[in-house]
Amino acid sequence: MKSSDIAGVASAMSSLLPIFEEEIWRKRVWDSCRLAIQRYRQGLSAGATVLQPAMRPAAEKAALVGLLTSRTPTILFAMPGQGKSYLALSAALAMAGSDVGGLPLVAPERRRPLFLDWETEEADQRERLYHLTGGSCNVEIGYKKMSGTFAQNLEGILSLIHEKGYDYLIIDSLLEAAGGLIEDTSVAAFKAAVGATGCGSLWLAHSAKNGNGDTAFGSTHWMGQARLAWSLEQQESDPNVLSLALVC
């Protein structure tokens, strides 16, 4: 390994953030670059493995069977007032290990969900949770009221994940979390920041206003970023029952 390789990368990274002018950060950047180069070279020189047939464990494939993927993003979109937040909270309850009124939400393993909310207030979510649980919740769902973009809050989100052990993110809503923009650069920055958490995620979005509800707003930018995308609609039913239909 050449010292010039490490020095070059460290110098480039140091120029990006003024905070790296502090000596402790200079050392951390240097050590990080050294480790990255070592791992990269090890990867290049690693031998091939023998491919054997095997099924991945269910928990590695799904956070909720048939509804949410485990590590890759899932998008849930609908027109306002259709029940996205209720369904997202129901998913969070199921992932955390709670029965949700008999709904067929199956989690292969328990998770610790964190609800990141750009859309509403904590009091609104507390009331929805009350209706879903009958006022008695025996599991923990993390909640944080958000402002600014997801990328701008990344350091704080990573701290929460580290301190509390959260391993699944519910992001409400997608457009606000990306800064209100649907340009390729903002989409890429958002996805990179979410990916940096190492968590699976559910992204809530609004349907396109000029369509019939079957596409998400800015879908040409967002749909390629998720493994699954669900359209949500309320169905005509008993006025005392919330009946929802999901279309993938």
Side-chain angles (χ1 to χ4, degrees), residues 8-221:
V9 178
S11 176
M13 292 183 65
S14 296
S15 66
L16 296 177
L17 296 173
I19 193 172
F20 287 163
E21 293 177 0
E22 299 178 18
E23 188 61 30
I24 186 173
W25 282 107
R26 288 182 181 276
K27 184 178 185 303
R28 288 180 181 177
V29 172
W30 180 275
D31 291 342
S32 297
C33 293
R34 188 199 311 276
L35 180 60
I37 292 171
Q38 286 177 339
R39 293 290 172 83
Y40 176 71
R41 289 178 175 173
Q42 288 170 0
L44 289 177
S45 62
T49 61
V50 177
L51 192 62
Q52 297 288 349
M55 291 294 292
R56 298 179 68 178
E60 291 186 8
K61 294 190 291 185
L64 287 178
V65 175
L67 184 64
L68 303 180
T69 55
S70 178
R71 293 295 179 187
T72 53
T74 301
I75 293 179
L76 174 65
F77 63 94
M79 297 298 287
Q82 295 296 298
K84 294 189 301 297
S85 294
Y86 271 106
L87 184 56
L89 280 174
S90 298
L93 285 167
M95 284 187 283
S98 176
D99 177 64
V100 190
L103 291 177
L105 301 175
V106 179
E109 68 176 10
R110 287 196 177 190
R111 294 177 179 270
R112 292 180 62 83
L114 173 61
F115 200 114
L116 302 174
D117 192 355
W118 279 264
E119 278 280 294
T120 56
E121 299 298 326
E122 183 174 354
D124 298 317
Q125 302 295 7
R126 286 181 179 275
E127 186 172 0
R128 288 166 178 158
L129 194 59
Y130 178 90
H131 291 307
L132 288 169
T133 63
S136 177
C137 184
N138 59 352
V139 297
E140 179 181 319
I141 299 174
Y143 178 88
K144 182 172 176 59
K145 176 62 182 175
M146 303 297 295
S147 62
T149 69
F150 187 99
Q152 290 168 344
N153 285 278
L154 180 57
E155 184 176 351
I157 293 169
L158 289 174
S159 294
L160 278 174
I161 291 170
H162 177 72
E163 293 170 9
K164 301 292 186 179
Y166 297 125
D167 56 7
Y168 197 92
L169 306 178
I170 298 173
I171 299 170
D172 187 8
S173 68
L174 182 53
L175 189 61
E176 284 77 8
L181 301 173
I182 54 171
E183 300 171 350
D184 289 337
T185 52
S186 61
V187 171
F190 170 78
K191 185 184 179 185
V194 174
T197 67
C199 297
S201 55
L202 171 62
W203 305 349
L204 306 188
H206 295 288
S207 297
K209 294 181 179 179
N210 58 351
N212 57 8
D214 60 355
T215 58
F217 180 72
S219 60
T220 55
H221 296 268

